[in-house]
Amino acid sequence: MTGPAPQSDERRASAFRPKSLAGQLMLWITVITTCLWLLAVGFGALVMQDEFGEIFDSALQETAERLVPLVVDDLNRRDDLNVPRRIERSPAQPGEEYLTYQVRDRAGRVLLHSHTASAEPFDVPLKVGFRDGARGRVYTAATADGAIFVQVEDSAEERREAMVEGALALLLPVLLIVPATVLAVWFVVRRVLLPVETLRAAIGEKDGGNLAAIAAENLPRELQPILRSVNLLLARLRAVLAAEREFTANSAHELRTPVAGALAQTQLLMAELKDAPTHARARQIEASLQKLTKLTEKLLQLARAEAGIGVSETAFDLVDVLGVVVTDFQRASGTASRIRFRSDLAGPALREGTADAFAIVLRNLIENALLHGRADEPVEIRLTETGNVCIRNGAAAMSEAELAAVRKRFSRGRTLAAGSGLGLSIADRLLAQMRASLVLTSPVAGRVDGFQADIVFPAAR
């Protein structure tokens, strides 16, 4: 019962798949051109049938009228006219006989007939003119006194054969012209629609990481309004994103200041209440404020990520940013011994985006590795020769479902360590804006456990 479902889904998806403009133009032009050619062939065949009929009728009439004096002269030399005479064919003239004739008297008797004609009279009356018989068309000619009639018959089968051969002679070139027309239509449509394809590809490249204006290069007049509208929309988006980033940065500064002030006042209060009974309560307040500070920092990073701080038309040096962030962690007293950094890349590596956004990504991934990794195992950070970043730490193996879940906001894996569950979500969001991807793996290659986060940049074009 479940077998046909995927096929029906495929059919439903294909039914709603957008159709290609070039494909539709090619299809309709080809179909219309082919139909017009076939109509022309059909009309030509009708005209040819009428003309062939006139030619055959003219040949019948001319043959019959020329036979009349010859037949009369031959009959005048004969003594016995009661026995029908058959005109034998000359052995020197082999081949098919297309015209047959009979010579009949006023009573309808056959006096003379050609080699292939029957001795039985043709089934047409003895009247001068054209008649259609059972086997073909007959023309009847007569002497001036109406005593002798000459009837010449043209085979209907021969007429049909001539008509079919003539129609095929018209149709065969069409069979060659139609493929040539299809190729010509394909070539012309591709050439004419090339600017449309170029504009489509340029618009398709515009995403959260690329909002630069599209250059107008040899676009047709009809596409210029579309290009202007798209560039105007991109300019508005850039302005909105810039305003949102500025607002987020200002809000982050204004929010950090009171929290930092409250934490400083609490620490001063703890120093004054060294041996007082309320010292423990002051320490709890300090711990809560420190937790609030970290959560506030993550929320501000998330807000900046939502504002699109990774979107930029500029580039940054991956090596410089990674070196600064790793150095900061190595200088911290609590994490210096666990950081292991190795670079396989020689020279700088420029990437699209902002250094600030990439630094946030690195800090979140390294903090995640230090916080949730085993305390007795190092955090390995490696810059590969292709310009990608690999961060690995010891941890229990995770399933595919768990790896997918930890990417979501406020989602945490099987851990007792403190955290907000926002680090990986922020990193994933910012990397998407920089056209990079975050690949999570567990267990790591060559081990039965461990957690690995890879920052993969697109290949340089």
Side-chain angles (χ1 to χ4, degrees):
M1 297 298 290
T2 59
Q7 297 181 0
S8 62
D9 292 342
E10 282 185 15
R11 288 194 296 268
R12 192 178 300 110
S14 62
F16 291 98
R17 188 176 298 125
K19 296 181 180 179
S20 167
L21 181 62
Q24 293 186 70
L25 281 174
M26 291 175 59
L27 175 63
W28 282 107
I29 293 176
T30 301
V31 170
I32 291 174
T33 304
T34 303
C35 291
L36 290 177
W37 273 107
L38 292 178
L39 285 175
V41 170
F43 181 74
L46 291 176
V47 174
M48 184 175 59
Q49 183 180 17
D50 186 63
E51 295 297 326
F52 277 7
E54 293 181 2
I55 293 173
F56 283 123
D57 288 348
S58 176
L60 276 179
Q61 183 177 354
E62 185 176 354
T63 301
E65 290 176 350
R66 290 196 177 191
L67 282 175
V68 169
L70 298 176
V71 167
V72 171
D73 183 64
D74 181 72
L75 292 178
N76 289 334
R77 296 178 183 178
R78 291 177 56 188
D79 298 330
D80 186 7
L81 298 179
N82 294 323
V83 179
R85 181 184 174 191
R86 177 180 176 182
I87 304 299
E88 297 296 335
R89 189 180 215 165
S90 171
Q93 297 178 346
E96 189 175 357
E97 191 174 37
Y98 296 103
L99 298 178
T100 59
Y101 64 90
Q102 289 181 348
V103 179
R104 299 167 65 182
D105 58 12
R106 186 179 290 119
R109 291 182 305 163
V110 177
L111 305 179
L112 189 68
H113 63 87
S114 62
H115 174 70
T116 57
S118 172
E120 295 295 325
F122 293 148
D123 55 346
V124 293
L126 294 176
K127 293 183 180 180
V128 176
F130 291 99
R131 297 289 187 277
D132 289 324
R135 293 178 298 177
R137 192 164 175 82
V138 180
Y139 180 79
T140 302
T143 58
D145 58 0
I148 302 297
F149 295 87
V150 177
Q151 293 183 320
V152 181
E153 182 184 59
D154 184 10
S155 172
E157 182 179 352
E158 296 299 333
R159 290 199 177 201
R160 284 194 299 269
E161 182 179 350
M163 181 61 197
V164 170
E165 291 178 355
L168 289 177
L170 292 177
L171 184 61
L172 287 177
V174 173
L175 297 180
L176 298 177
I177 291 174
V178 168
T181 303
V182 172
L183 292 177
V185 167
W186 177 83
F187 178 77
V188 172
V189 168
R190 291 296 296 270
R191 287 292 299 271
V192 172
L193 293 182
L194 184 60
V196 178
E197 176 64 22
T198 302
L199 181 60
R200 184 203 64 79
I203 295 175
E205 292 178 354
K206 303 304 172 184
D207 52 18
N210 182 8
L211 296 178
I214 301 174
E217 296 180 358
N218 301 324
L219 282 181
R221 183 175 61 254
E222 294 81 1
L223 297 179
Q224 292 292 337
I226 299 177
L227 179 63
R228 286 194 295 269
S229 299
V230 171
N231 283 337
L232 180 60
L233 178 60
L234 291 174
R236 290 178 178 176
L237 285 175
R238 290 195 299 270
V240 169
L241 287 176
E244 189 173 354
R245 292 171 191 166
E246 184 177 357
F247 173 77
T248 304
N250 293 335
S251 300
H253 176 72
E254 295 297 330
L255 188 58
R256 286 193 189 99
T257 302
V259 175
L263 181 59
Q265 292 295 328
T266 303
Q267 291 173 345
L268 288 175
L269 182 61
M270 289 175 58
E272 295 175 358
L273 301 175
K274 283 187 178 181
D275 300 324
T278 55
H279 182 79
R281 183 172 298 178
R283 186 177 295 278
Q284 291 178 354
I285 296 175
E286 181 195 25
S288 299
L289 287 174
Q290 288 177 345
K291 183 177 180 181
L292 179 60
T293 301
K294 293 180 180 179
L295 180 59
T296 301
E297 183 68 25
K298 294 299 180 183
L299 291 175
L300 291 175
Q301 289 180 0
L302 180 61
R304 297 181 69 191
E306 293 293 340
I309 64 169
V311 179
S312 176
E313 301 172 14
T314 60
F316 66 93
D317 188 355
L318 172 68
V319 178
D320 289 344
V321 177
L322 184 59
V324 171
V325 173
V326 171
T327 300
D328 287 345
F329 278 100
Q330 288 177 335
R331 287 175 178 174
S333 59
T335 60
S337 61
R338 295 181 59 191
I339 299 297
R340 300 286 188 272
F341 175 65
R342 188 184 78 187
S343 176
D344 299 331
L345 183 65
L350 297 180
R351 297 290 183 266
E352 291 184 5
T354 61
D356 187 21
F358 187 65
I360 293 175
V361 171
L362 290 176
R363 291 184 183 280
N364 277 282
L365 293 179
I366 296 174
E367 285 176 0
N368 183 80
L370 291 170
L371 185 62
H372 302 291
R374 295 193 183 101
D376 58 344
E377 294 189 27
V379 173
E380 300 175 2
I381 305 170
R382 184 168 67 93
L383 178 59
T384 66
E385 58 185 9
T386 57
N388 297 324
V389 180
C390 172
I391 301 174
R392 179 184 298 183
N393 61 273
M398 301 175 65
S399 64
E400 292 293 334
E402 290 174 322
L403 290 176
V406 294
R407 291 176 178 269
K408 300 177 181 179
R409 298 176 185 176
F410 303 103
S411 177
R412 306 177 63 201
R414 295 174 295 173
T415 178
L416 298 177
S420 61
L422 291 173
L424 292 179
S425 175
I426 294 171
D428 197 16
R429 178 74 174 178
L430 290 174
L431 288 175
Q433 296 173 7
M434 292 185 286
R435 299 185 181 182
S437 58
L438 177 62
V439 180
L440 303 180
T441 308
S442 181
V444 299
R447 295 178 52 173
V448 296
D449 60 358
F451 182 86
Q452 179 172 318
D454 291 290
I455 301 175
V456 181
F457 289 93
R461 291 178 293 179

